[in-house]
Amino acid sequence: MLKKNGGIRQRDVCLALTFLLLLLWLLFKQAVFVYAAMLFLLLGMCAPAAMEPFAVVWFGLARVLGSVTSSVLLTLVYGVILLPVALVRRCIGKDAMNLKLWKNGKGSCLVEREHVFTPEDFIHPY
């Protein structure tokens, strides 16, 4: 994996950790964060392979956060947007799928179209 991407993962992690440490320095005003940031930059420039353990942890954390975030986001979209819209449509009596017709009828609820297609239909399909 290290040979394929030429150390891009390691450089990305080096820059991300340096940025994170500098943000921590801005928040807490502790010099240890600046020294750690300089150490990571030095390691990233001189020996990027030394950053591989950090890259494994960093990208593993990113993968976990990505899967959790997407699940939470999709759940929120469903609960905040789709569910209320569906409930309002049901309350006002909308039946976009013709479920009442399908449940009450004996035949198919598909609409039969007796249409002969012409070249004009393919030029302007909508």
Side-chain angles (χ1 to χ4, degrees):
M1 187 177 344
L2 182 62
K3 304 278 191 265
K4 285 183 184 177
N5 58 19
I8 293 174
R9 277 176 40 139
Q10 292 85 3
R11 281 184 255 142
D12 288 346
V13 169
C14 174
L15 290 174
L17 288 176
T18 302
F19 181 70
L20 181 66
L21 286 167
L22 290 175
L23 284 178
L24 288 173
W25 173 73
L26 282 174
L27 287 174
F28 299 112
K29 299 293 184 201
Q30 297 290 323
V32 69
F33 294 122
V34 175
Y35 296 133
M38 289 190 302
L39 176 68
F40 275 114
L41 275 178
L42 186 64
L43 273 175
M45 289 188 298
C46 297
M51 298 300 292
E52 182 60 26
F54 297 106
V56 169
V57 171
W58 186 264
F59 283 101
L61 180 65
R63 188 174 297 116
V64 169
L65 285 175
S67 64
V68 169
T69 303
S70 65
S71 298
V72 168
L73 185 64
L74 288 173
T75 302
L76 285 174
V77 167
Y78 179 79
V80 173
I81 297 172
L82 295 177
L83 186 63
V85 168
L87 291 175
V88 167
R89 286 181 59 89
R90 180 175 282 187
C91 287
I92 62 174
K94 294 287 184 179
D95 187 19
M97 292 178 52
N98 293 327
L99 292 176
K100 291 178 187 172
L101 178 66
W102 180 70
K103 288 180 183 177
N104 296 334
K106 302 264 189 273
S108 173
C109 62
L110 297 176
V111 177
E112 291 186 26
R113 290 187 62 203
E114 297 294 332
H115 179 73
V116 177
F117 288 97
T118 63
E120 182 69 22
D121 292 325
F122 293 107
I123 294 171
H124 302 288
Y126 305 105

